[in-house]
Amino acid sequence: MVEIARYLRTLDIKDLINLNIGEPDFDTPAHVREAAINAINEGRTHYTPSEGIPKLREAIAQKLHRENNLDYSADQVTVVSGSQEGISVIAQTLFGPGDEVINGSPHYPSYVFNASMRGARTVFVPLRKEEGYQMTAEDIERAVTPRTKAIVIISPNNPTGGMQSLEELRSIAEVAQKHDLLVISDEIYERIVYEGHEHHSIGSIPGMMERTITANGFSKSYSMTGWRIGYFAAPKEINDKLQAVHRATAICPPSVAQYAALAALNGPQECVEEMSREFGIRRKLVLKMLREIPNVTVGEPAGAFYAFPDFSFYCGEDDEEFARELIREAHVVLLPGSSFGELGRGHLRLSFASSLAKLEEGLKRIQAYLEKRRSKLGLFP
Ligand code: PLP
């Protein structure tokens, strides 16, 4: 990711189409923005309690109960400066040298990076297209060693768009209980879910609340990436430890943004559904156009706003160079799959958090460029 950003700085391409960005392109809903303006005008611009304002923690606890069947009380909820801070706090608090953490791969790199900063090792289990990019209990059980501390589950997933079924979560819960493991459940994409799929929180499975840290945030559901508000909920004893590290890291989450987040949770939810519907329309177009490219295969994302097509016919192992080639030749930016780990090699991540027009134009350019490349090589599929 960093390499692509660096590469882009060396070029001067005017009509570049960026399909690499992992954030919704919608404006933050108007009532949320208004709540922030009111908070500023009311002078709510000072430090807040470190763990977040009581009203927001209460609203989050209620949301987790209502939507996720999770019975955390407000004092088990900590509001953080984006769920990314939460990931860092969780790793700093819970992991140490020699610990092992099980993570699906291709993977969102932040968990791995934060674990490694604590001297902990990430053990990867494969997310396979044929299994809808789910982590399986069988793979996890095979990866468990006496050093295993936790399992990280990201569902819906970045970069694969995969989602864990309730059945698979139940089997994973059994493994976690059998080996006395913590589970970190990242549910940040939970509101962006496509037809035929349903989001489930592993913490709601009997016996799992006491070993699960549920992490979430406002960035993706409410198009609030720049406001930097996330949260986690955990058993009281763990949450108290996490809060101490959070306090030392951030003092408190941004005050004004907490009032905006409160309005997001308590206000009308149609905006969330509308955005999700729009992602669904884009997803259809993206899948259709990717499948028109000969020798490209792509799994159907069940949630989030990423497609993870396999371009290995065109790039072999070198997806980094292929991503640069598409920038130079087609003026379209996608991320190399290997930036999400070795198991992503040969793939590209396409974010459909861009307008339909941009997606259509970007994919047309990729189609045209690859057609030219195939005919030059005498490759006719
Ligand atoms: N978790 C996952 C799986 C993500 O993809 C991201 C951002 O892309 C985050 C957490 C961090 O989100 P934020 O810090 O904006 O809440």
Side-chain angles (χ1 to χ4, degrees):
M1 277 175 250
V2 180
E3 286 72 22
I4 286 293
R6 213 172 278 145
Y7 182 65
L8 283 170
R9 282 199 291 273
T10 67
L11 304 170
D12 182 23
I13 300 174
K14 296 280 181 285
D15 62 343
L16 210 56
I17 294 188
N18 290 294
L19 303 182
N20 57 327
I21 297 166
E23 64 169 331
D25 56 323
F26 305 108
D27 287 338
T28 300
H31 65 279
V32 175
R33 286 181 273 143
E34 209 160 299
I37 292 166
N38 291 341
I40 294 172
N41 289 334
E42 287 162 11
R44 299 183 195 280
T45 52
H46 299 271
Y47 291 138
T48 71
S50 172
E51 60 279 8
I53 54 172
K55 275 187 185 165
L56 179 57
R57 293 171 77 206
E58 186 56 49
I60 291 169
Q62 282 172 17
K63 174 258 181 251
L64 291 172
H65 176 72
R66 192 173 60 238
E67 293 176 11
N68 304 85
N69 204 15
L70 294 167
D71 283 319
Y72 296 107
S73 58
D75 67 353
Q76 291 176 280
V77 171
T78 304
V79 183
V80 285
S81 307
S83 55
Q84 193 85 347
E85 189 220 317
I87 296 169
S88 167
V89 165
I90 290 166
Q92 282 185 67
T93 312
L94 302 178
F95 305 151
D99 285 342
E100 290 179 0
V101 184
I102 297 176
N103 208 322
S105 191
H107 56 271
Y108 180 62
S110 187
Y111 288 90
V112 181
F113 187 69
N114 278 290
S116 79
M117 286 202 292
R118 293 289 300 136
R121 191 170 83 87
T122 299
V123 177
F124 294 113
V125 297
L127 302 178
R128 303 179 189 90
K129 186 161 79 206
E130 314 78 65
E131 281 156 350
Y133 294 114
Q134 293 194 69
M135 283 174 108
T136 69
E138 213 180 316
D139 285 334
I140 291 173
E141 176 118 52
R142 221 176 290 128
V144 172
T145 75
R147 291 173 175 269
T148 309
K149 191 87 190 263
I151 306 167
V152 173
I153 299 174
I154 305 175
S155 177
N157 187 266
N158 175 11
T160 64
M163 275 182 77
Q164 298 292 137
S165 69
L166 182 56
E167 198 187 353
E168 202 57 61
L169 286 178
R170 285 200 180 113
S171 306
I172 295 173
E174 273 176 32
V175 176
Q177 288 174 13
K178 181 171 154 196
H179 297 281
D180 192 20
L181 305 176
L182 291 169
V183 171
I184 298 152
S185 180
D186 182 325
E187 306 185 9
I188 194 162
Y189 294 99
E190 66 167 340
R191 301 290 293 270
I192 306 165
V193 170
Y194 304 111
E195 243 177 75
H197 299 276
E198 209 180 325
H199 171 74
H200 301 282
S201 297
I202 191 165
S204 68
I205 294 171
M208 288 306 289
M209 274 282 285
E210 51 266 43
R211 61 178 69 253
T212 303
I213 299 151
T214 304
N216 206 328
F218 291 80
S219 288
K220 317 289 174 170
S221 299
Y222 296 95
S223 199
M224 289 178 67
T225 45
W227 298 77
R228 309 312 302 134
I229 297 288
Y231 58 90
F232 50 74
K236 180 87 174 67
E237 198 184 310
I238 297 178
N239 195 45
D240 287 350
K241 288 186 190 149
L242 294 170
Q243 275 181 7
V245 176
H246 158 67
R247 198 171 301 124
T249 307
I251 301 185
C252 68
S255 173
V256 169
Q258 289 185 68
Y259 289 92
L262 182 63
L265 272 190
N266 288 345
Q269 299 300 301
E270 287 78 21
C271 48
V272 178
E273 283 140 32
E274 260 165 46
M275 290 189 262
S276 182
R277 238 189 331 269
E278 179 63 26
F279 285 130
I281 296 168
R282 296 171 183 185
R283 168 181 173 269
K284 274 201 183 123
L285 174 88
V286 164
L287 288 176
K288 178 179 154 292
M289 292 187 75
L290 283 171
R291 285 174 177 155
E292 284 166 3
I293 306 174
N295 303 306
V296 167
T297 56
V298 59
E300 289 205 355
F305 39 69
Y306 307 108
F308 202 65
D310 181 341
F311 277 95
S312 53
F313 175 84
Y314 295 94
C315 66
E317 298 262 289
D318 201 353
D319 50 272
E320 286 112 326
E321 175 48 27
F322 186 58
R324 288 192 291 267
E325 184 180 329
L326 288 182
I327 293 170
R328 280 190 312 269
E329 305 294 335
H331 296 186
V332 183
V333 191
L334 278 74
L335 287 182
S338 59
S339 46
F340 303 93
E342 275 310 301
L343 293 170
R345 210 164 266 293
H347 295 68
L348 295 177
R349 191 194 76 172
L350 183 154
S351 160
F352 42 94
S354 269
S355 69
L356 268 180
K358 278 193 189 155
L359 287 164
E360 188 167 13
E361 173 61 19
L363 281 157
K364 260 191 202 157
R365 288 187 195 176
I366 294 173
Q367 287 180 340
Y369 170 64
L370 292 180
E371 194 175 319
K372 203 167 80 187
R373 203 176 95 156
R374 279 194 309 276
S375 55
K376 215 153 77 188
L377 291 173
L379 290 169
F380 295 101

